[in-house]
């Protein structure tokens, strides 16, 4: 059977690219080629932006409730199709089916939130700021916005972006990861079926050229980026130089602190789930466990719990750890494990070359645990983005906080304790975007916003929630005076008073 091609969505039509450059979309559990994805040509990139620009005036002027109704419909369509979405996602990305459902569901929550745009997009009003003068703000859409997304959440992260941007009256160009573009295309199809007018959402595919075209295009007003530090820093700089707003959510090395008074079983379960779930390919994965005081003695139990996880194809029932996204990622993770051994860390559990009977060609690495990890080691310095947990032992909470804050990244963190005082001190002093208290992966619900600190984020405002309303809108402040017939003409006033 011929291999299908992933289409571009331009001006409401799913079209075949005319490019000469194609990549395979590969099932990471089997190496089966699922489809071929085009790297859009410069003309196709321009056509997508032009379609978004043409669609903007009418969409901006579409009544707010009418825009919201499209997303009410979209949330229903996502619910109706969640099984197909999750299956496609597992097949092209590798994560387990249950985790793929979670990926779609966390994005669906943002679509639900987009439906309340009526109250989110309100401006402010102050009456009588001077005699007969009122001041108020309008939150107006920017125009064409763009999104560049990573491979690890092919449903949730596109859904962080285009629903909120579009419901606010913007039009959008999405460039999903070329490694798993099929799930975003299913979502784009549902958005068309939900009634998004043509040109409001466009989807292009590609790599560096497509990303640079987005950064440079004068008609794109704002870019949302989620991905690695290197690429995100490039997008932030290049997009900012071209005069755009850019928000860039970047890499991570998330530390979790375990106090000896915490509920040990719950804490160990949480650590093992957050370190190895999604094969560690989450920006909120716990990759460093900081064991405080007597919690140092937990290492054998952590190892024993990790050994019980099932490494297998994501579609198989009871799988805990699926494959890594591609062969290169597998080799990289294996070489980082080798570096950990060479640099003197203690390899408590070696997940290299696991036996996965039904998937001999999959990109599998099993749960791997190091103890005795030191800050100068490569496994500590680099974001491994695989199922590798580094354990560090310290004597006090102060040391745990200091070591966490000394790391260059500040995405998420967590503390496990039964002491309110310890938790409060931690939440106050820790420097990270998301803080969990007995919660291992504290990704905020969409009434709040995702955020990040230090090396994990560039730009001020984060994705979804209230912050993204500000990101995707321009505040206009109006100061108005209405003269009634009784007003006596005054003198010319050359001062700045009203
Ligand atoms: P990536 O940076 O390789 O890719 C992200 C996007 O940039 C993709 O669309 C890709 O096509 C494009 N891209 C890749 N190389 C490029 C280049 N040289 N020039 C221009 N564009 C390029 O990231 P990834 O591997 O897909 O995703 C994993 C990374 O994303 C991890 O670092 C992870 O921590 C991070 N991440 C962060 C968050 C967050 O919210 N902070 C969420 C998810 C993932």
């Amino acid at each position: 059977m011929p291999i299908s091609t992933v289409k571009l969505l331009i001006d409401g039509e799913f079209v075949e690219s005319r490019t000469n450059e194609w990549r395979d979309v590969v099932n990471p559990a089997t190496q089966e080629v699922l489809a071929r994805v085009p790297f859009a040509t410069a003309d196709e990139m321009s056509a997508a932006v032009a379609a978004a620009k043409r669609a903007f005036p009418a969409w901006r002027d579409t009544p707010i409730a009418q825009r919201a109704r499209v997303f009410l419909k979209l949330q229903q369509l996502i619910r109706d199709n969640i099984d197909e979405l999750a299956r496609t996602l597992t097949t092209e990305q590798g994560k387990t089916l249950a985790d793929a459902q979670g990926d779609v569901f966390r994005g669906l929550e943002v679509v639900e939130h987009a439906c309340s745009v009526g109250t989110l997009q309100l401006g402010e009003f102050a009456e009588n700021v001077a005699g007969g003068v009122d001041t108020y703000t309008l939150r107006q859409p920017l125009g064409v916005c763009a999104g560049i997304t990573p491979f690890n959440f092919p449903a949730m992260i596109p859904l962080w972006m285009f629903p909120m941007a579009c419901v606010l009256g913007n039009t959008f160009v999405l460039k999903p990861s070329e490694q798993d573009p099929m799930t975003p295309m299913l979502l784009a199809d549902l958005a068309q079926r939900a009634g998004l007018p043509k040109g409001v959402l466009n989807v292009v595919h590609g790599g560096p050229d497509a990303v640079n075209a987005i950064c440079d295009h004068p008609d794109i007003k704002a870019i949302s980026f989620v991905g690695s530090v290197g690429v995100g820093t490039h997008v932030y700089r290049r997009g900012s130089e071209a005069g755009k707003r850019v928000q860039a959510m970047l890499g991570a090395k998330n530390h979790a602190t375990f106090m000896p008074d915490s509920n040990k079983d719950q804490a160990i379960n949480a650590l093992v789930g957050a370190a190895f779930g999604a094969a560690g390919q989450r920006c909120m994965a716990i990759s460093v466990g900081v064991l405080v005081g007597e919690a140092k003695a937990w290492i054998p139990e952590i190892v024993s719990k990790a050994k019980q996880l099932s490494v297998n194809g994501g579609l198989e029932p009871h799988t805990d750890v699926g494959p890594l996204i591609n062969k290169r990622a597998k080799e990289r993770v294996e070489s980082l494990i080798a570096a950990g051994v060479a640099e003197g860390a203690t390899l408590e559990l070696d997940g290299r070359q696991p036996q996965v009977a039904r998937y001999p060609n999959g990109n599998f690495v099993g749960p791997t645990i190091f103890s005795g990890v030191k800050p100068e080691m490569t496994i500590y310095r680099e974001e491994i983005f695989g199922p590798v947990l580094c354990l560090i032992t310290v004597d006090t909470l102060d040391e745990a906080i200091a070591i966490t804050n000394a790391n260059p990244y500040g995405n998420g963190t967590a503390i496990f304790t039964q002491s309110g005082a310890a938790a409060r001190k931690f939440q106050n002093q820790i420097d990270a975007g998301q803080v969990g208290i007995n919660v291992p992966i504290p990704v905020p619900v969409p009434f709040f916003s995702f955020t990040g600190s230090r090396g994990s984020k560039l730009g001020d405002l984060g994705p979804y929630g209230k912050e993204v309303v500000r990101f995707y809108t321009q505040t206009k402040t109006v100061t108005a005076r209405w003269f009634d017939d009784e007003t006596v003409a005054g003198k010319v006033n050359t001062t700045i008073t009203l």
Side-chain angles (χ1 to χ4, degrees):
M1 214 170 64
I3 292 168
S4 64
T5 53
V6 181
K7 305 293 182 275
L8 307 171
L9 172 59
I10 298 178
D11 206 14
E13 304 291 331
F14 289 93
V15 294
E16 183 85 8
S17 173
R18 291 163 181 263
T19 186
N20 296 323
E21 200 182 346
W22 296 81
R23 297 281 166 92
D24 291 340
V25 181
V26 177
N27 180 334
T30 62
Q31 310 308 325
E32 178 198 355
V33 177
L34 302 167
R36 295 173 72 231
V37 62
F39 275 34
T41 64
D43 285 350
E44 289 163 345
M45 294 299 299
S46 302
V49 180
K53 189 179 179 187
R54 275 195 308 277
F56 176 61
W59 181 240
R60 175 193 54 200
D61 293 341
T62 301
I64 201 161
Q66 209 173 315
R67 292 200 305 256
R69 265 176 226 127
V70 173
F71 291 91
L72 276 170
K73 178 84 179 155
L74 177 59
Q75 67 81 27
Q76 187 58 49
L77 286 173
I78 292 174
R79 262 173 219 286
D80 294 345
N81 291 280
I82 195 161
D83 289 340
E84 186 197 353
L85 284 161
R87 215 177 163 78
T88 302
L89 200 160
T90 293
T91 308
E92 67 174 345
Q93 202 275 348
K95 65 178 69 174
T96 67
L97 211 42
D99 204 28
Q101 298 252 359
D103 190 331
V104 179
F105 186 76
R106 294 308 305 259
L108 172 62
E109 289 182 313
V110 179
V111 181
E112 290 171 343
H113 194 234
C115 300
S116 52
V117 62
T119 49
L120 292 172
Q121 204 169 357
L122 296 178
E124 295 176 312
F125 192 100
E127 190 181 31
N128 223 28
V129 295
V133 177
D134 303 325
T135 294
Y136 51 96
T137 55
L138 311 175
R139 287 210 165 277
Q140 297 188 314
L142 303 176
V144 182
C145 301
I148 301 163
T149 57
F151 79 83
N152 67 330
F153 282 96
M156 180 184 80
I157 294 180
L159 290 174
W160 278 4
M161 297 180 182
F162 78 81
M164 289 302 290
C166 294
V167 82
L168 291 161
N170 299 288
T171 56
F172 208 78
V173 177
L174 174 69
K175 202 234 52 91
S177 171
E178 71 283 14
Q179 301 192 77
D180 44 16
M182 294 162 65
T183 309
M185 289 316 285
L186 288 179
L187 291 169
D189 182 43
L190 296 180
Q192 297 308 109
R193 283 165 49 194
L196 263 193
K198 65 179 194 170
V200 172
L201 172 65
N202 304 271
V203 188
V204 290
H205 304 288
D209 289 347
V211 166
N212 288 338
I214 287 172
C215 293
D216 297 345
H217 201 297
D219 290 333
I220 293 177
K221 305 297 176 203
I223 303 174
S224 297
F225 174 90
V226 179
S228 62
V229 170
V231 180
T233 305
H234 166 78
V235 168
Y236 188 78
R237 287 198 184 127
R238 191 156 172 159
S240 301
E241 267 173 27
K244 304 175 199 317
R245 296 179 179 193
V246 187
Q247 54 175 196
M249 310 307 295
L250 309 175
K253 192 83 180 174
N254 304 310
H255 292 46
T257 290
F258 294 86
M259 299 300 286
D261 71 345
S262 52
N263 180 316
K264 188 169 76 172
D265 286 345
Q266 284 175 2
I268 292 177
N269 280 340
L271 171 60
V272 170
F276 304 121
Q281 296 177 121
R282 291 182 181 134
C283 69
M284 288 288 281
I286 295 178
S287 49
V288 181
V290 185
L291 305 175
V292 181
E294 288 155 26
K296 289 172 191 174
W298 297 0
I299 293 175
E301 281 169 81
I302 296 169
V303 171
S304 140
K305 184 69 79 175
K307 275 186 183 162
Q308 293 165 22
L309 297 181
S310 154
V311 181
N312 207 343
L315 291 177
E316 301 294 331
H318 314 302
T319 300
D320 297 304
V321 180
L324 293 168
I325 185 68
N326 57 38
K327 286 222 167 299
R328 219 171 351 103
K330 175 179 189 273
E331 286 159 16
R332 180 175 166 275
V333 170
E334 287 170 343
S335 76
L336 282 162
I337 296 171
V341 174
E343 291 174 20
T346 306
L347 186 55
E348 302 273 0
L349 180 62
D350 186 354
R352 288 174 290 184
Q353 313 298 337
Q355 294 307 306
V356 185
R358 293 192 57 190
Y359 299 90
N361 300 320
N363 310 322
F364 294 100
V365 176
T368 299
I369 299 177
F370 282 106
S371 65
V373 177
K374 302 274 179 286
E376 61 277 10
M377 291 178 178
T378 313
I379 50 169
Y380 183 78
R381 284 187 288 105
E382 291 213 10
E383 179 185 34
I384 299 177
F385 225 55
V388 181
L389 173 64
C390 295
L391 294 175
I392 288 181
T393 53
V394 296
D395 293 326
T396 64
L397 175 59
D398 285 329
E399 281 177 78
I401 292 173
I403 204 160
T404 304
N405 286 348
N407 190 271
Y409 294 103
N411 205 38
T413 189
I415 183 168
F416 287 80
T417 181
Q418 300 203 50
S419 157
R424 191 169 184 280
K425 176 175 182 164
F426 187 85
Q427 78 177 21
N428 178 257
Q429 295 186 4
I430 209 75
D431 185 1
Q434 279 72 225
V435 180
I437 297 175
N438 299 313
V439 172
I441 304 191
V443 175
V445 292
F447 331 121
F448 296 88
S449 297
F450 197 86
T451 178
S453 181
R454 298 179 285 146
S456 293
K457 182 177 179 216
L458 287 169
D460 174 16
L461 301 167
Y464 68 81
K466 290 178 192 151
E467 292 198 6
V468 102
V469 173
R470 289 172 59 204
F471 182 75
Y472 288 137
T473 56
Q474 172 67 46
T475 304
K476 187 181 277 178
T477 309
V478 180
T479 300
R481 167 182 283 147
W482 294 97
F483 299 102
D484 61 33
D485 292 346
E486 309 295 310
T487 309
V488 182
K491 292 194 300 189
V492 171
N493 184 357
T494 57
T495 69
I496 63 161
T497 53
L498 294 168

